[in-house]
Amino acid sequence: MRFIDKTLSFGDITPKTVFENRRSLIKAAAAGSFGVALAPWFSREALAATPEKLSATLNSAYSLKEETTPYKYVTTYNNFYEFGTDKADPAASAGSLQTRPWTISIEGLVKKPITLDIDALLKLAPMEERIYRMRCVEGWSMVIPWDGYSLSKLINKVEPLGSAKYVEFISLADRKKMPGLSSNVIDWPYREGLRMDEAMNPLTLLTFGLYGEVLPKQNGAPVRIVVPWKYGFKSAKSIVKIRFTEEMPKTSWNMFDAREYGFYSNVNPQVDHPRWSQATERRIGDAKGVFAPKIKTQMFNGYGDQVASMYAGMDLKKYY
């Protein structure tokens, strides 16, 4: 039995609307659903290949004092197109993903290129819990307790060269384990990128878990990044390669449609998506369901004090 997500009103974007709109813009596009169906809670037995619990200490300096989104929504309402475009697809299909053995290669403009396995990454720095807002470009949001440590810890280890201006993240693309790769929604593998100062910002989290457990496969196991002041698609999942570059890297959704998805993709209620407003958002899991009022979206998702200085003097409507 599938349950209807009552946090979305009939006035919100529907899976069919998004899909058909993008088909009209680009033939090969399949836009990903705004999903109203939720699969049964993903079995935690799928995590048996890795330790289930993570020992993380709450970092209150970087954590919200807001009600967190229930685990069942965080793990069953996902965008992870490698497993399908419906919100329920990742929870239903990600069980086949093999997260061990797993390695990440760090390469490009660094003094010490290296390949690390997941166990070495887990031991690289003390694990912290960070309670962050997550704002999707589609107009919904969550509050999630993530477990990891600042990406800067890993970056410092490889010693980037002075010529390194950007960091590129490349996700796994396994056609045997990821049924979504059979579609041509985007050009696989999934690619994302950050400017070096964004990657070094202490808020940018190299993430291994949520709610004190290792990442469920549908949430980007075994390692992803979380960049809380940017729209959710900037936080690359199931990363296998990190590359330091001088030129701005090409990113998946920007290549798909640069008019809709800029490189920066900072949460900005003053810059609308070409097809809908970004001024408000629907908080997934609100107990009031369809009766819950939308909330106002905050500039930089509420993290302006920590990140706004990086964009001083920039036209954020041009560099969206």
Side-chain angles (χ1 to χ4, degrees), residues 23-36:
R23 278 181 68 95
S24 68
L25 292 173
I26 299 177
K27 255 185 186 179
S33 60
F34 206 117
V36 294

Side-chain angles (χ1 to χ4, degrees), residues 219-236:
N219 290 94
V223 57
R224 60 174 292 169
I225 60 165
V226 175
V227 192
W229 71 94
K230 295 179 179 287
Y231 292 117
F233 67 86
K234 291 294 293 182
S235 297

Side-chain angles (χ1 to χ4, degrees), residues 73-87:
Y73 288 102
V74 175
T75 57
T76 58
Y77 193 86
N78 310 106
N79 282 327
F80 199 171
Y81 281 17
E82 286 87 337
F83 296 102
T85 58
D86 190 86
K87 293 293 184 291

